[in-house]
Amino acid sequence: MSEISAGNRAGAGAGDGGGDDGGGDAEYDVAVIGYGPTGVTAANLLGATGLRVVVLERDAEIYSRARAISTDEEVMRIWQRIGLADRLKQDMLADRPLDFVDARGRAFLSAHPTPRGHGHPPQMFLYQPALEQVLRDGVARHPNVEVWLRHECLRLRQDADGVELTVVGTADDSVRRLRARYVIAADGGSSLTRAQLNVGYEGRTYEDRWVVIDTKMLKPWPDHDRLRFRCDPTRPAVDCPTPLGHHRWEFPILPGDDERHLTTDEAIHAMVSRYGIGPDQIEILRATVYSHHVRFAARFRVGRVFLAGDAAHAMPPWIGQGMAAGVRDVANLCWKLDAVLRGELPESVLDSYEAERKPHVKEVTRRAVFVGRIITDRRLAVTRVRDAVLPLLNRIPGVAGRLQDSNWIPVAHYADGFRDRPRTKSSGITFRTRASDAGTAHSGTSRTGTSRTGTSRTGTSRTGTSRTGTFRTRASRTTAPGHQIPQPWVTAPDGSRVRLDDVLGGRWLLLHDALPTPQPEWERAGVPSLTVLPAGSSPAEGAVVDCDGVLRAWLTHHRATTLALRPDAYVYAAAPAGTPLPPPPEGLSLTPRANTASTPPVATPSPASPAPPAPSASPAAQGTP
């Protein structure tokens, strides 16, 4: 029997999914292939827009093995946009320290998560099956999203108007066809969709394989809630707390090891006993062997099909960004798909997905590889220098702060809206991407016959739909374009204290400091305005009160008084006082819609486990009002 649900109509019949065997095609705006963290986030984002969406997933249940174990504040901000951040945090651990320890267990480097202003804890440990359950519960709020479990896409065929998908039901071998205007392929590192599109997956697989062990903690031990990278050249290890009473261990399979033996309870207890953990303290739930990969799809877009998550890229796990990168992918893509399908922006804007995401994910991957080398190096001479030098550097003012700040994740920066080849920035250092890394619009050229864009270069466009010229605003000396604005707590027009994004509403918006400067071109495009009032001001219609002065200080730092914000809260354009903004994207014409940023959260606890008390992070880290 086929397993299909249409939004919150769980258990809807197979007929709801699109015709009998080989019958008439069902029509959707977007088809999402894969229902892991990337696909389920896309389903939530698209569901909130009101588009008609179908999700295809070959498995009947959530994958039981916990792969990702942490996430960051920017990803929580994305999940806030779909109304699920606070519910998800009930099942997470926040504000946990991180140590790099030597072979004797002595910390030679400690790091402390430092908030970057997104309104959530900077790092949170998670249990992935519980997280995915909450995200799937969130999709059930949207009757416009159909979820087809135990269905696999066997063939894609594109034409001028959309994509035809041939889908097989793995439970009964039924074959159906459906059509979608666009497809998001989030079907993992072994993506069948990527193979069908004949897109290369370039990179390398590391020689070392690792056994990943999920355990249930029976008796706590000292510092069980502290993440440790055990940088022992004899056998490195990852010793990581996870919520809901779990704990994660990871060990490499060394030359001469019997891989099968290392996954047995006997071998696992022997390895963890080195750290004082006895058999009575943990229950081994599962042990799985993984390889680490560094890979990138040659293209993230082929016509109307977009690769996202592991289907587009793979990285080692050392800074916990594999899952996060996929969530960022669909956060970047889904609002653009929505705008194009509604006619608010030209189809050529979809080329910016690869141009913006690929350089950033490459820089994040480079950082993960670098941190992995610190952890896993087994050369005695190198590790002795590491263990001696890093503690000394840790005592030098300035250097110590940079080493101890665990925010090693490069921050995306899209300098000129959709036109500029992006750069990535982290900790005050600019990492310029090579031209070969940045990608061009040509690599994502639509072959459907509806859009055929040319190569996009910095400051120019040959798409025929995007306005030419650079909007770098050097004359006005504002540095805001391309940055994502912080998310402080603000007082909304109705007097309630909320996070900023809940007022922004995931839409194009003009944000003004003090007296607004008229922006006739943006007003003609239908872009609404919001004024930022200083702390202590009374609530007012069309304004927010910057309770803690964070947002107004950010505007002053970037020498801007007016911002044009994209729906993902990145600054498209900026201007100082009395200066008009650069024009909006060519063809931008907004249609009225409801504010979907504050979609009601799922209130029911995850069935994976009862929700524990809220994490004991500090109010500042939690973003508590």
Side-chain angles (χ1 to χ4, degrees):
M1 183 67 181
S2 299
E3 300 181 22
I4 300 175
S5 64
N8 55 7
R9 300 195 304 276
D16 293 341
D20 297 323
D21 299 346
D25 297 350
E27 299 280 350
Y28 299 90
D29 293 308
V30 182
V32 178
I33 303 174
Y35 206 33
T38 300
V40 72
T41 299
N44 274 286
L45 289 166
L46 294 168
T49 68
L51 297 174
R52 191 174 182 201
V53 180
V54 62
V55 181
L56 306 174
E57 168 57 49
R58 68 183 178 186
D59 294 327
E61 304 290 343
I62 291 172
Y63 193 61
S64 63
R65 296 172 183 168
R67 291 146 292 166
I69 53 175
S70 69
T71 192
D72 60 58
E73 59 190 299
E74 184 185 352
V75 172
M76 292 306 303
R77 187 174 180 178
I78 293 167
W79 287 331
Q80 176 195 335
R81 198 185 309 168
I82 58 177
L84 297 177
D86 289 334
R87 171 63 189 90
L88 287 166
K89 287 193 291 187
Q90 293 178 23
D91 291 343
M92 295 182 179
L93 299 174
D95 197 26
R96 296 303 191 266
L98 181 158
D99 290 332
F100 292 81
V101 301
D102 62 19
R104 300 181 182 180
R106 301 173 302 184
F108 61 82
L109 180 63
S110 297
H112 308 280
T114 304
R116 281 176 164 170
H118 292 287
H120 297 279
Q123 184 182 50
M124 303 199 72
F125 294 104
L126 57 90
Y127 183 62
Q128 186 172 335
L131 176 138
E132 289 191 42
Q133 184 62 59
V134 173
L135 292 173
R136 290 191 180 192
D137 290 346
V139 174
R141 298 168 297 177
H142 305 295
N144 52 306
V145 180
E146 295 181 15
V147 179
W148 297 22
L149 300 178
R150 302 180 74 178
H151 283 78
E152 189 167 15
C153 178
L154 294 184
R155 188 181 70 175
L156 296 170
R157 187 172 64 186
Q158 303 193 49
D159 56 36
D161 300 314
V163 186
E164 180 186 271
L165 298 88
T166 301
V167 179
V168 63
T170 59
D172 56 9
D173 294 328
S174 60
V175 178
R176 297 175 175 86
R177 290 197 311 270
L178 61 88
R179 286 186 60 81
R181 297 283 300 280
Y182 295 97
V183 174
I184 299 175
D187 49 345
S190 57
S191 169
L192 178 60
T193 309
R194 189 185 62 238
Q196 290 183 65
L197 296 172
N198 199 27
V199 173
Y201 201 42
E202 303 157 357
R204 60 172 292 196
T205 297
Y206 283 85
E207 187 174 325
D208 287 345
R209 288 163 60 80
W210 286 67
V211 57
V212 177
I213 304 151
D214 287 315
T215 68
K216 180 179 179 180
M217 187 169 58
L218 303 178
K219 294 180 182 179
W221 54 89
D223 294 330
H224 66 274
D225 59 349
R226 194 178 190 96
L227 171 60
R228 288 186 179 86
F229 291 117
R230 298 187 177 274
C231 309
D232 183 349
T234 304
R235 189 188 296 273
V238 178
D239 174 357
C240 181
T242 49
L244 304 176
H246 296 89
H247 200 88
R248 163 74 64 84
W249 302 87
E250 300 181 16
F251 298 96
I253 298 172
L254 303 179
D257 283 342
D258 182 337
E259 183 173 307
R260 290 185 179 181
H261 175 67
L262 278 191
T263 61
T264 63
D265 288 4
E266 177 188 359
I268 292 168
H269 282 303
M271 289 189 289
V272 302
S273 68
R274 300 175 60 191
Y275 311 117
I277 311 301
D280 61 331
Q281 292 178 283
I282 59 171
E283 175 188 342
I284 299 169
L285 300 178
R286 63 190 62 86
T288 310
V289 175
Y290 288 103
S291 296
H292 296 165
H293 308 276
V294 173
R295 295 189 181 275
F296 304 96
R299 291 181 288 171
F300 286 13
R301 178 187 185 186
V302 178
R304 291 176 174 268
V305 182
F306 300 84
L307 302 176
D310 288 353
H313 44 73
M315 68 181 72
W318 307 116
I319 57 175
Q321 284 295 297
M323 179 188 70
V327 173
R328 288 186 174 92
D329 287 346
V330 293
N332 183 286
L333 177 60
C334 286
W335 73 263
K336 296 173 183 176
L337 286 172
D338 178 46
V340 170
L341 287 164
R342 292 180 182 276
E344 296 178 347
L345 282 171
E347 198 265 354
S348 58
V349 75
L350 298 176
D351 286 329
S352 67
Y353 166 61
E354 178 175 338
E356 292 185 345
R357 285 300 303 141
K358 196 169 190 178
H360 181 246
V361 78
K362 282 198 168 189
E363 191 57 53
V364 172
T365 303
R366 291 188 189 106
R367 192 63 58 87
V369 170
F370 173 75
V371 174
R373 287 173 182 156
I374 296 176
I375 298 166
T376 64
D377 203 310
R378 298 178 57 223
R379 295 170 295 178
L380 289 177
V382 173
T383 57
R384 285 170 182 164
V385 171
R386 175 198 67 194
D387 298 349
V389 171
L390 284 178
L392 295 176
L393 294 176
N394 210 20
R395 300 174 186 172
I396 302 174
V399 176
R402 185 166 294 185
L403 289 174
Q404 292 172 10
D405 183 350
S406 66
N407 283 328
W408 303 312
I409 304 161
V411 178
H413 179 226
Y414 312 133
D416 277 331
F418 306 127
R419 284 158 296 279
D420 194 23
R421 176 167 59 84
R423 298 176 297 160
T424 53
K425 300 182 74 178
S426 176
S427 304
I429 304 172
T430 300
F431 298 88
R432 297 186 181 275
T433 56
R434 297 188 299 270
S436 61
D437 291 343
T440 62
H442 182 70
S443 67
T445 297
S446 172
R447 300 179 183 177
T448 65
T450 57
S451 173
R452 193 154 182 90
T453 59
T455 302
S456 175
R457 293 190 176 93
T458 304
T460 64
S461 175
R462 293 188 289 177
T463 64
T465 53
S466 296
R467 186 165 303 188
T468 59
T470 179
F471 298 149
R472 201 175 273 281
T473 61
R474 284 175 177 162
S476 59
R477 298 179 181 176
T478 177
T479 57
H483 292 281
Q484 190 176 35
I485 62 170
Q487 184 189 207
W489 289 89
V490 298
T491 302
D494 63 1
S496 60
R497 185 173 168 88
V498 297
R499 295 184 181 95
L500 176 64
D501 285 4
D502 292 338
V503 182
L504 299 182
R507 53 188 170 154
W508 285 93
L509 191 69
L510 298 182
L511 200 65
H512 299 279
D513 179 15
L515 296 176
T517 300
Q519 306 291 342
E521 287 193 79
W522 288 87
E523 292 160 8
R524 282 195 296 271
V527 180
S529 295
L530 190 68
T531 300
V532 181
L533 301 176
S537 301
S538 299
E541 191 65 29
V544 294
V545 179
D546 187 12
C547 305
D548 303 313
V550 172
L551 193 53
R552 288 171 63 89
W554 190 90
L555 292 168
T556 299
H557 173 75
H558 288 284
R559 299 185 290 277
T561 59
T562 304
L563 306 177
L565 295 180
R566 305 179 347 172
D568 54 1
Y570 278 87
V571 178
Y572 179 86
T579 303
L581 286 166
E586 186 73 21
L588 178 66
S589 180
L590 302 187
T591 57
R593 65 176 72 192
N595 183 339
T596 59
S598 301
T599 305
V602 175
T604 55
S606 165
S609 178
S616 58
S618 67
Q622 288 280 13
T624 304

